[in-house]
Amino acid sequence: MLKLMRNFYAGGAFFLAATLLASPCVYAQGASTTEGESCNNQAFLARQQAYENGTATADSPVHICGTVIGVKKRVQHTRSGRHGYFYVLVAPHVSIRIVSGLERMNAPSWPWVRKGDSVDIVGRYYYDSARSQGVDWTHHGTGREWHTPGYIIVNGKKYQ
């Protein structure tokens, strides 16, 4: 059974997910995403459960949506560049970390997302452990290891 209560640490505070109704879905699990498809949080939750059960191991494309419940205001510098992080409630009591490659996105200075914003996200879901998982490759670029362009829509404005 999916562990519904999750705490994620962000910028000095713990965020405990509140409530959000799952969005209607048309996106099939594991399918390639396109801009015309709607988000599917149920497929994401099923994929997350498959990782927790050990039946999934490869990163997978996801199209999720929800409400921002936390933003790490400080930009983090990593080997792959500057990144902004925020947390999205995708189902009651389930949130996920979103990684934005700031040097690759056509967006204003960070943070360009706020707590309470409505977001729609296409990217790559990675799962290293229950405490280390998220959605990255949320920008329009692709690479040798990832072929699905991503994006983030914040309150109707698209960043890629």
Side-chain angles (χ1 to χ4, degrees):
M1 179 171 174
L2 179 64
K3 299 171 190 162
L4 292 181
M5 295 300 286
R6 297 198 193 277
N7 289 320
F8 288 96
Y9 181 78
F14 281 97
F15 293 96
L16 179 59
T19 9
L20 175 74
L21 296 175
S23 300
C25 50
V26 295
Y27 172 70
Q29 177 180 332
S32 173
T33 58
T34 64
E35 191 171 334
E37 296 170 340
S38 297
C39 68
N40 187 342
N41 292 350
Q42 293 304 317
F44 167 74
L45 294 171
R47 191 66 175 166
Q48 185 181 51
Q49 184 63 50
Y51 279 97
E52 289 181 359
N53 292 338
T55 57
T57 57
D59 296 339
S60 59
V62 294
H63 189 162
I64 60 174
C65 55
T67 302
V68 176
I69 59 168
V71 178
K72 185 174 181 182
K73 298 205 186 304
R74 198 170 133 236
V75 171
Q76 185 172 345
H77 298 270
T78 69
R79 291 179 310 187
S80 58
R82 297 173 43 247
H83 295 87
Y85 299 88
F86 61 99
Y87 300 81
V88 174
L89 190 65
V90 294
H93 311 291
V94 182
S95 63
I96 191 71
R97 179 170 77 164
I98 308 300
V99 182
S100 303
L102 300 177
E103 294 167 347
R104 296 180 179 161
M105 295 188 82
N106 182 19
S109 297
W110 184 258
W112 39 261
V113 63
R114 293 182 308 229
K115 187 175 180 179
D117 283 345
S118 176
V119 293
D120 189 309
I121 301 157
V122 169
R124 175 182 70 174
Y125 175 55
Y126 67 89
Y127 183 95
D128 298 328
S129 71
R131 303 273 303 153
S132 179
Q133 59 180 304
V135 177
D136 62 5
W137 281 90
T138 57
H139 57 280
H140 66 279
T142 60
R144 277 184 297 150
E145 298 178 19
W146 193 249
H147 306 289
T148 305
Y151 61 83
I152 300 173
I153 298 174
V154 180
N155 298 326
K157 179 141 176 78
K158 187 173 186 176
Y159 299 108
Q160 55 185 10

